[in-house]
Amino acid sequence: MLQVSIYRYNPDTDAEPYMQEVEVDTGGKDLMVLDVLELLKGQDPTLAYRRSCREGVCGSDGMNMNGKNGLACIMPLSETVKGNKLVLRPLPGLPVIRDLVVDMSMFYAQYEKVQPYLQNDTPAPAIERLQSPEDREKLDGLYECILCACCSTSCPSFWWNPDRFIGPAGLLQSYRFLADSRDTATEERLARLDDPFSVFRCHGIQNCVNVCPKGLNPTKAIGHIRNMLLSRAT
Amino acid sequence: MVTAVTSMGRSGLYDWLMQRVTAVVLLAYTLCLGAFFVFNSDVTYLQWQELMSRTPMKIFSLLALISLGIHAWVGLWSVFTDYLTERLMGTKGNVMRLILQVLCGLVMFVYLIWGIQILWG
């Protein structure tokens, strides 16, 4: 029997959050954490968490498993369970709505700030804006982000300043458009980032790289943004 | 854009660059003094005084002192704006942060003037 300690909080009935201790019969299989949550929900239908695609694409079930953020649907028990114990908590730093469901408004507000869409003020061509294979390659490692918030909510700078620091997820997307050969708003994008908080709260501790379920490297992207800001200013 | 009136240069890039440049100066100064102590294991007052009385060393020491002040300001400003904020502590956070930053500025100013007095006194 797997020992599971799970964060529970229902604002309608609980004065404060608590950890619920439960046992789950995994049948000796190396289940995904999401499977364990489904078994738990079978025992207690009041348990709340987000999920959708169950294959690491939608980014809905980001949570903290034994102290490390990740996607429950693609996290096998063998990779996270230590000493037959699984501790499940919501993503850190964001307000909890209920149990493992967090309010991601601040995360999305930062994402919105970077204007994550292509901007081009030249006349639109008849069919499409072409890009060379080399220029297209520059977007690899950037466009794959699924906005699960595992990175930003593992970043202490984002915990303390979620209203002012864009965070690794937003900055990765920011660089995705700064690096896009079809985007013509580079100067405006950089001008909006040159303050003491938006980019420069990143101290390069790489928690974001450590937890990204898609294997992306936001710290590297932030380094590229810094270099672009430096080139622009010197 | 977010601005902060109490940061070193009011620009994230400027603060970031200053912190890196001053870190290099402080590293060079530490290595320089470290080498002096390695090659003079039983250093005497006269040797120390002779080293510190040279004009290049005085300039280097002053540069290191100024670098320390700038580095400390940028670093502590980051720490204060992480933990002592209106979001975490209400208005009290802003008041405490401002008081601590003024105190830090004062201490750095005293160290600088004191250092100049020692070097050229």
Side-chain angles (χ1 to χ4, degrees), chain A residues 103-189:
Chain A
D103 179 359
M104 292 175 67
S105 307
M106 283 191 290
F107 175 78
Y108 291 132
Q110 294 300 343
Y111 178 55
E112 193 180 359
K113 266 192 204 171
V114 306
Q115 302 188 350
Y117 42 85
L118 199 74
Q119 295 177 38
N120 191 316
D121 52 12
T122 59
I127 301 174
E128 60 186 321
R129 294 190 194 279
L130 295 175
Q131 198 171 32
S132 71
E134 292 76 27
D135 282 337
R136 168 61 190 78
E137 254 178 41
K138 291 177 187 166
L139 309 183
D140 288 342
L142 304 171
Y143 78 91
E144 299 94 328
C145 174
I146 55 172
L147 296 174
C148 62
C150 286
C151 60
S152 291
T153 57
S154 69
C155 174
S157 289
F158 190 74
W159 295 342
W160 309 138
N161 287 292
D163 49 343
R164 296 189 281 188
F165 174 49
I166 288 175
L171 289 170
L172 186 86
Q173 288 310 298
S174 177
Y175 184 61
R176 182 250 170 275
F177 289 97
L178 285 168
D180 196 315
S181 61
R182 300 162 299 178
D183 194 278
T184 57
T186 307
E187 174 54 34
E188 293 84 346
R189 290 180 188 279

Side-chain angles (χ1 to χ4, degrees), chain A residues 93-94 106-107 110 113 152 155-168 195-203, chain B residues 2 4 77-88 94 97:
Chain A
L94 295 179
M106 283 191 290
F107 175 78
Q110 294 300 343
K113 266 192 204 171
S152 291
C155 174
S157 289
F158 190 74
W159 295 342
W160 309 138
N161 287 292
D163 49 343
R164 296 189 281 188
F165 174 49
I166 288 175
D195 63 76
F197 284 95
S198 298
V199 176
F200 291 95
R201 269 294 130 150
C202 171
H203 300 307
Chain B
V2 187
W77 181 82
S78 291
V79 174
F80 294 154
T81 47
D82 267 353
Y83 302 115
L84 305 174
T85 60
E86 197 169 359
R87 202 181 75 85
L88 292 177
N94 283 344
R97 196 173 72 244

Side-chain angles (χ1 to χ4, degrees), chain A residues 14-72:
Chain A
D14 302 325
E16 55 186 42
Y18 64 97
M19 297 302 289
Q20 184 185 20
E21 307 296 328
V22 283
E23 287 193 338
V24 181
D25 182 9
T26 58
K29 293 179 197 160
D30 187 16
L31 300 176
M32 297 295 173
V33 173
L34 181 61
D35 297 326
V36 174
L37 280 167
E38 295 287 301
L39 290 171
L40 282 171
K41 193 154 174 93
Q43 293 174 18
D44 177 3
T46 64
L47 176 64
Y49 53 91
R50 289 194 181 107
R51 58 144 299 164
S52 183
C53 76
R54 60 99 184 103
E55 57 185 4
V57 174
C58 70
S60 303
D61 61 354
M63 62 186 67
N64 189 276
M65 297 165 283
N66 277 350
K68 189 176 173 184
N69 290 355
L71 297 178

Side-chain angles (χ1 to χ4, degrees), chain B:
Chain B
M1 187 200 273
V2 187
T3 53
V5 77
T6 49
S7 77
M8 186 79 208
R10 298 187 205 177
S11 142
L13 183 66
Y14 181 83
D15 281 11
W16 177 81
L17 191 63
M18 288 308 278
Q19 202 171 27
R20 265 71 195 164
V21 171
T22 54
V24 172
V25 172
L26 289 170
L27 177 68
Y29 191 72
T30 308
L31 289 176
C32 186
L33 282 189
F36 173 76
F37 284 116
V38 167
F39 291 113
N40 301 280
S41 51
D42 50 349
V43 63
T44 61
Y45 173 76
L46 280 176
Q47 280 175 311
W48 181 248
Q49 211 244 354
E50 202 264 331
L51 173 75
M52 284 297 170
S53 62
R54 289 180 192 167
T55 303
M57 196 59 200
K58 284 184 180 180
I59 293 170
F60 196 16
S61 299
L62 183 62
L63 184 66
L65 200 58
I66 293 169
S67 296
L68 183 69
I70 294 171
H71 198 85
W73 184 272
V74 175
L76 287 173
W77 181 82
S78 291
V79 174
F80 294 154
T81 47
D82 267 353
Y83 302 115
L84 305 174
T85 60
E86 197 169 359
R87 202 181 75 85
L88 292 177
M89 306 171 75
T91 317
K92 198 173 69 177
N94 283 344
V95 175
M96 281 176 67
R97 196 173 72 244
L98 204 59
I99 290 172
L100 277 168
Q101 285 197 237
V102 169
L103 276 176
C104 279
L106 198 64
V107 168
M108 286 162 205
F109 181 73
V110 169
Y111 278 158
L112 184 65
I113 302 300
W114 194 10
I116 293 170
Q117 206 178 22
I118 291 168
L119 288 167
W120 274 276

